[in-house]
Amino acid sequence: MSSTQISTSLAVSENGFLFLPTTGETFTVNETGRFILRRLQEGREQQEIISSLIDEFDVEPVDAQRDVLDFIGQLRQYHLTDTQ
Amino acid sequence: MDKKKYERPVILKQQSGLMNKFGSATSTQPMTDIEGVPVAELAAAYGSPLFVLSEKKMRDTQQQCQRIFRSRYPKVQFAWSYKTNYMNAVCSIFHSEGSWAEVVSEFEFDRARHLGVRGEHIIFNGPAKSAAALEKAVRAHSKIHIDHFDELYELIEITTSLGLKADVAIRVNVDVGIYPKWDRFGFNYENGEAREALKRIAASKTLRIVGLHMHIGTYIMSTEPFRVAVSKLVALANWLKQQLAIDLDYIDVGGGLPSHNTLKGQYLQADETLPALEQFADAITAPLFELESHGDAMPTLILESGRALVDGAGYLISTVLAVKRLSDGKRAYVIDAGINLLFTSLWYKHKMVPAQPTGVMREQANIYGPLCMNIDCIQEDASVPALKKGDRVVLMNVGAYTMTQWMQFITFRPAIVLITADGSPHVIRKAESLEYVMSLEEIPPSLRSLSA
Amino acid sequence: MKIAVTGLNNTDNPAPGVPVIRALRDRWPDSLHVVGLLYDALEPGAYLADVADANYMIPYPSAGLEQLFTRISSIHEVEKFDIIIPTLDSELNGFIKLAPRLAALGIKLFLPTEDQLRLRSKDKLVDFCSAHGIIVPRNVLATSVQDLYTIAQEFEYPVAIKGIFYDAAIVNNLDEAIAAFRRMQAKWGLPVVVQEFIAGDEYNVCALGDGARTIGAVAMKKLYVTDKGKGWSGITINDPALLEIAQKTIAALQWRGGIELEFIRERETNSYYLLEINPRFPAWVYLAVGAGQNLPAALVDLITGAAVTPFEKYSVGKMFVRYSWDHITDIAQFESLTVHGALRHG
């Protein structure tokens, strides 16, 4: 699986508050969402993120897999990913 | 090491006017049990979807209503509105609280008789009573509420040929200044039709006028229409007394009181805007004291409340079948209870509460039922916490007009469980089976080979 | 004294929260702790350090009473305020219903009853006014687009189309009426009020009732009206006829709390038509303070049981000139409100 490029300028606070300086848009994200976002920003592979999510949280692998894909879909919907 | 609690990852864009997720703490409080019985156990034992009714809640509501009305007017009689929920167990609860039966068809009449309700404690309403049904009602000494002249003449004919007398009332429709106007039922007050009907009945040898009946509408959200309507019925009763020297046994004000559901298109929640039951009771009872002397006895006030008594006692347990994203990115859920079970969701925003703990992040989501029909939408833009496949939810205030208006469409109708006063669940209607649904069907011989 | 106030939404359709707080600070410059209760993270008043000492988000009225109560209880545990002054129309029903439960927490309110609130609602206004000899424009309560077709039979265009809580639009034909109807219905529900249009100048009265007496009343003529119909400057006037109608209305309602009466003085006859009764102070309430009647402070006196003597006069010819001001802040404040639902100053 490939990695997803997150807009490099996206600022994510510890509170789960997101600010995209290029557009001025703000977002809120929950704990698991922040967990995934941070790892995407670090350039981690999708599969690696899913594994670390399963290690850290009480979640079934099949749910983690589906939810990470869905979350990346949400990021794409908000144009927070750099399409390459 | 214990792993962290998982919540489906959610990101929400902040938009003006939609930046308020605070104060949602209580609505994310899950409803893990109904009257002490865990939702998970109910669903595991009886399946999902599942209707659950609370006996305690029905009795508490009925007793509270009785207190409120009896503290304002000396003689009050409730008549359980069968069409609202005619499950035998439900009717039995209301009858044991002293309610009579209010029926609108031969089918409902027979149900009441089957439960052992005395004939004179059945009020027979409705615009479509068959000759056979009228005959049954006459023989049982039930109170027949006449809807139109054709029925009046038919009833005179039936009683005359049977050589029996019948106790009757007329349904009166009055203009109370609200819309829609329910003038298709009964005899009109303002244009004098009601007086004509009463004169005709008084002239008959077989019919005895014992009451006046009205029913101004459903889910009436203010008290004034009731006050106006009862005032007009009282004026009619006083006219009866003066002109025809008739004393009434009762005045039946019908139903129409609202439940705690919020209507679609209503900005504020029902609980915030609806008058209290005490205020409705004031509006209904105050004009009754304008009745002119009825000998010693004031007529009985009859109430045919259904929705207000049973809606809050009904729950629908359902299961999330799928979590989807629509083409515009909006969240959508498919749950296993749809419009086939909740006809009422066409006009109510039924509150939906998760049955297990969730996170606090809420998304705007559409809630769809399981039917492959576009109309099968329980709610649009509901604010719900992140749910996942297999999660249970509870839809609230679904005790009225669901178990009588549900459809057997595409799939079976589910079981209904009553949690009795001692806190134990009992199936009061089994889930349908293929055998049950097909038991009424027949295949013509010429087609049988095709089905082999 | 600690007081919580709602409605810090000082946009071009301002809520009365900020001027109410300003009035209270005038009276109690040193001893007041103010808590702002917000419905939106961008309510401007929350960002100004000299308005409320602390600001908290509360759920929309449409989210339900239980949520509102729980949220207020949890804020109260921290801030321990003694009084809530709601300043918005649409939240009043809820606060009236919650009043006994809030009282149990030691929180006092001074509100009209549900019946009083209903009497003055837009769909009942004509009945109320006719019963008390107050001149009022005729109206039609529309519950469907169908009802709009009767407009032409009832009155002449233009007519005013009003949402049951807020918003109004002047429309000139059926097409505009239908568009406005749909907008009002979607936002505020049914019925939508179609009101006869009266040509003339706008006059408003800001007042306070204690359930029997009128504690104070100040009349104002709008001098500048924005394209949203909001008065952006105005001047106090003294027309005994106008004040008499206001007193009569407040007496008939036995009003408890702040109130705003909106009138049009009809061009030909010079009669005052009562357009609307708003069940709260107006956003221009500080003009009343400037003219000598600190009505918000008097409201607090009524709540605390302090002696209140009705105001007898006010300065005529006092003006308010509203202005907008770009306050500069940091994203951290916005973050604090959106993530934690709270923003404290100092």
Side-chain angles (χ1 to χ4, degrees):
Chain A
M1 260 190 219
S2 63
S3 68
T4 305
Q5 291 289 315
I6 292 294
S7 298
T8 43
S9 57
L10 186 71
V12 185
S13 86
E14 277 308 302
N15 293 322
F17 180 82
L18 273 66
F19 175 54
L20 189 57
T22 48
T23 64
E25 290 168 308
T26 55
F27 303 83
T28 50
V29 69
N30 60 358
E31 190 186 358
T32 45
R34 198 175 77 232
F35 182 93
I36 298 167
L37 253 183
R38 201 183 310 129
R39 278 154 186 78
L40 285 172
Q41 284 185 311
E42 289 165 4
R44 306 286 176 92
E45 297 284 322
Q46 240 170 53
Q47 205 47 57
E48 193 188 343
I49 296 174
I50 293 166
S51 305
S52 50
L53 196 67
I54 297 166
D55 289 343
E56 185 100 5
F57 291 90
D58 182 19
V59 59
E60 293 299 318
V62 56
D63 290 335
Q65 168 97 32
R66 184 189 49 213
D67 290 349
V68 168
L69 287 178
D70 177 84
F71 185 71
I72 291 169
Q74 292 180 58
L75 297 179
R76 203 173 298 126
Q77 201 89 40
Y78 290 136
H79 303 290
L80 292 173
T81 55
D82 287 337
T83 41
Q84 291 181 329
Chain B
M1 193 190 79
D2 279 350
K3 289 185 181 181
K4 286 191 198 157
K5 198 170 149 315
Y6 179 79
E7 180 187 20
R8 179 160 58 70
V10 177
I11 177 167
L12 296 175
K13 182 172 172 174
Q14 298 192 303
Q15 286 164 310
S16 179
L18 292 175
M19 278 189 263
N20 189 345
K21 66 188 168 93
F22 297 94
S24 50
T26 52
S27 62
T28 45
Q29 280 292 313
M31 182 164 197
T32 53
D33 67 81
I34 298 172
E35 299 293 353
V37 186
V39 169
E41 276 177 28
L42 287 166
Y46 308 105
S48 170
L50 177 72
F51 274 109
V52 180
L53 288 159
S54 157
E55 177 179 356
K56 181 174 183 303
K57 212 147 188 194
M58 281 184 249
R59 289 192 187 276
D60 287 352
T61 313
Q62 175 68 74
Q63 287 165 13
Q64 186 207 4
C65 270
Q66 277 169 354
R67 266 198 306 278
I68 288 171
F69 278 93
R70 287 194 178 136
S71 61
R72 285 166 173 77
Y73 189 78
K75 285 165 73 178
V76 177
Q77 176 63 50
F78 280 81
W80 175 243
S81 157
Y82 265 49
K83 63 186 170 297
T84 309
N85 190 321
Y86 44 59
M87 292 304 127
N88 285 329
V90 171
C91 296
S92 300
I93 290 170
F94 287 104
H95 292 320
S96 78
E97 290 292 333
S99 283
W100 293 357
E102 184 264 324
V103 305
V104 293
S105 66
E106 187 173 3
F107 164 74
E108 290 188 354
F109 183 89
D110 289 346
R111 289 191 81 112
R113 293 295 279 163
H114 176 82
L115 282 179
V117 179
R118 284 162 58 186
E120 59 268 40
H121 289 172
I122 299 177
I123 291 169
F124 200 174
N125 282 327
K129 310 177 189 86
S130 67
L134 284 172
E135 188 177 325
K136 269 186 200 171
V138 170
R139 289 184 186 281
H141 309 291
S142 298
K143 294 172 171 55
I144 301 168
H145 290 184
I146 302 169
D147 185 81
H148 48 260
F149 277 107
D150 282 332
E151 187 173 88
L152 200 170
Y153 289 115
E154 185 167 28
L155 192 57
I156 292 174
E157 227 176 275
I158 290 170
T159 45
T160 308
S161 73
L162 290 175
L164 291 171
K165 297 203 175 210
D167 285 348
V168 302
I170 57 163
R171 168 138 178 198
V172 183
N173 71 65
V174 294
D175 182 3
V176 292
I178 55 167
Y179 297 92
K181 216 174 182 177
W182 279 28
D183 56 359
R184 53 176 283 195
F185 303 110
F187 300 90
N188 184 251
Y189 171 81
E190 284 82 13
N191 70 11
E193 194 187 21
R195 288 180 175 79
E196 287 309 311
L198 290 168
K199 280 190 210 159
R200 181 65 195 87
I201 297 169
S204 83
K205 297 188 170 56
T206 54
L207 305 185
R208 190 169 81 91
I209 301 170
V210 293
L212 292 175
H213 173 230
M214 67 174 214
H215 188 113
I216 55 174
T218 189
Y219 205 92
I220 306 293
M221 291 160 65
S222 58
T223 58
E224 185 63 9
F226 279 102
R227 199 192 57 72
V228 172
V230 176
S231 301
K232 289 183 176 180
L233 272 200
V234 164
L236 193 57
N238 288 341
W239 173 86
L240 262 179
K241 170 81 178 167
Q242 289 157 8
Q243 300 294 314
L244 304 171
I246 290 171
D247 284 333
L248 294 176
D249 294 348
Y250 64 86
I251 289 202
D252 181 345
V253 300
L257 297 175
S259 65
H260 291 282
N261 272 308
T262 302
L263 294 175
K264 290 187 169 169
Q266 203 182 337
Y267 176 69
L268 292 174
Q269 295 269 312
D271 288 347
E272 259 177 272
T273 47
L274 291 179
L277 194 56
E278 285 84 350
Q279 291 167 290
F280 280 110
D282 284 340
I284 289 169
T285 54
L288 293 175
F289 294 98
E290 304 295 316
L291 279 165
E292 286 168 19
S293 158
H294 271 65
D296 288 337
M298 295 284 274
T300 301
L301 166 65
I302 296 181
L303 292 137
E304 299 171 354
S305 291
R307 184 192 306 283
L309 299 178
V310 79
D311 219 9
Y315 307 84
L316 178 56
I317 297 174
S318 180
T319 305
V320 174
L321 300 178
V323 184
K324 304 179 96 167
R325 235 165 347 99
L326 301 178
S327 60
D328 62 356
K330 187 172 180 187
R331 182 63 62 198
Y333 292 100
V334 181
I335 64 173
D336 64 3
I339 203 156
N340 49 330
L341 306 181
L342 286 182
F343 194 54
T344 49
S345 64
L346 286 175
W347 48 90
Y348 288 153
K349 292 187 254 189
H350 283 297
K351 189 174 169 192
M352 188 180 87
V353 185
Q356 56 282 308
T358 60
V360 293
M361 199 84 167
R362 297 174 84 79
E363 296 171 292
Q364 298 289 112
N366 289 1
I367 315 293
Y368 297 118
L371 310 180
C372 49
M373 312 272 291
N374 204 38
I375 55 157
D376 191 19
C377 178
I378 298 292
Q379 219 182 110
E380 284 190 322
D381 286 320
S383 166
V384 280
L387 300 171
K388 60 179 193 301
K389 179 176 163 60
D391 278 354
R392 310 271 191 214
V393 293
V394 180
L395 290 136
M396 316 277 286
N397 296 319
V398 298
Y401 295 101
T402 48
M403 292 156 233
T404 50
Q405 288 187 331
W406 54 359
M407 301 178 250
Q408 189 272 303
F409 174 60
I410 295 186
T411 182
F412 303 114
R413 287 177 286 200
I416 304 172
V417 165
L418 175 75
I419 300 181
T420 50
D422 63 0
S424 58
H426 297 267
V427 174
I428 62 165
R429 191 181 194 272
K430 290 181 203 160
E432 290 174 345
S433 63
L434 190 61
E435 192 188 10
Y436 163 80
V437 174
M438 298 208 304
S439 64
L440 296 175
E441 293 182 40
E442 280 183 21
I443 302 175
S446 60
L447 296 174
R448 279 179 196 162
S449 59
L450 299 177
S451 64
Chain C
M1 194 158 38
K2 295 188 172 185
I3 301 180
V5 179
T6 69
L8 270 54
N9 186 23
N10 249 39
T11 59
D12 61 344
N13 182 6
V18 170
V20 163
I21 293 169
R22 186 177 173 197
L24 301 180
R25 291 215 184 275
D26 273 11
R27 170 78 174 275
W28 294 284
D30 305 315
S31 58
L32 195 65
H33 178 81
V34 178
V35 178
L37 300 177
L38 321 173
Y39 292 107
D40 194 286
L42 281 178
E43 292 192 26
Y47 292 85
L48 304 177
D50 54 355
V51 176
D53 300 285
N55 297 278
Y56 292 86
M57 308 271 293
I58 56 173
Y60 292 112
S62 58
L65 284 186
E66 233 10 83
Q67 290 192 38
L68 182 63
F69 180 74
T70 309
R71 177 66 179 160
I72 289 179
S73 314
S74 71
I75 299 169
H76 183 253
E77 275 174 28
V78 181
E79 298 290 342
K80 304 280 180 213
F81 43 82
D82 318 291
I83 291 170
I84 298 179
I85 303 179
T87 68
L88 306 175
D89 305 34
S90 58
E91 64 189 2
L92 276 184
N93 276 303
F95 276 109
I96 291 170
K97 289 235 154 100
L98 287 181
R101 296 172 69 188
L102 293 170
L105 297 179
I107 304 171
K108 298 194 186 88
L109 296 113
F110 195 81
L111 300 172
T113 63
E114 282 177 298
D115 283 339
Q116 291 168 345
L117 204 57
R118 215 169 292 122
L119 278 178
R120 44 88 3 221
S121 68
K122 289 183 196 174
D123 51 340
K124 299 274 185 287
L125 186 66
V126 171
D127 294 341
F128 169 77
C129 290
S130 325
H132 294 94
I134 297 162
I135 306 173
V136 62
R138 292 171 300 151
N139 70 23
V140 168
L141 302 176
T143 53
S144 70
V145 167
Q146 208 111 42
D147 295 336
L148 300 178
Y149 290 88
T150 61
I151 293 175
Q153 297 150 28
E154 299 275 336
F155 349 99
E156 283 172 28
Y157 282 103
V159 296
I161 307 269
K162 296 184 164 183
I164 191 74
F165 289 114
Y166 283 117
D167 272 3
I170 307 295
V171 299
N172 294 298
N173 54 50
L174 184 60
D175 288 340
E176 287 178 18
I178 290 172
F181 173 88
R182 291 200 198 285
R183 210 166 61 235
M184 304 295 172
Q185 179 193 13
K187 185 124 194 229
W188 302 111
L190 295 172
V192 171
V193 182
V194 181
Q195 196 175 59
E196 178 189 17
F197 179 78
I198 309 290
D201 289 332
E202 291 183 45
Y203 292 83
N204 291 7
V205 175
C206 168
L208 172 67
D210 72 353
R213 301 172 298 170
T214 299
I215 299 301
V218 173
M220 176 271 284
K221 178 185 192 301
K222 288 186 187 175
L223 294 178
Y224 183 88
V225 179
T226 66
D227 54 3
K228 281 196 176 175
K230 302 291 152 189
W232 217 246
S233 59
I235 186 162
T236 56
I237 61 148
N238 178 20
D239 182 346
L242 177 60
L243 287 168
E244 194 193 315
I245 302 172
Q247 302 256 12
K248 186 155 112 182
T249 308
I250 293 165
L253 286 168
Q254 298 181 297
W255 192 257
R256 274 170 63 85
I259 189 168
E260 181 192 26
L261 307 171
E262 297 185 20
F263 294 92
I264 292 257
R265 190 175 187 215
E266 207 271 331
R267 222 162 261 162
E268 308 295 324
T269 61
N270 283 340
S271 307
Y272 287 105
Y273 279 70
L274 181 56
L275 292 189
E276 239 171 68
I277 303 176
N278 297 317
R280 36 99 190 135
F281 288 126
W284 58 272
V285 62
Y286 196 76
L287 176 65
V289 181
Q293 297 195 1
N294 193 333
L295 300 177
L299 172 72
V300 170
D301 287 338
L302 287 175
I303 298 175
T304 58
V308 179
T309 323
F311 295 97
E312 306 222 316
K313 57 181 183 357
Y314 57 86
S315 324
V316 175
K318 277 277 180 232
M319 283 178 63
F320 80 94
V321 180
R322 190 172 285 165
Y323 62 98
S324 57
W325 175 265
D326 295 350
H327 175 72
I328 305 303
T329 185
D330 191 79
I331 194 169
Q333 296 202 327
F334 179 52
E335 176 177 345
S336 177
L337 272 178
T338 52
V339 177
H340 301 298
L343 175 58
R344 303 182 65 97
H345 296 292

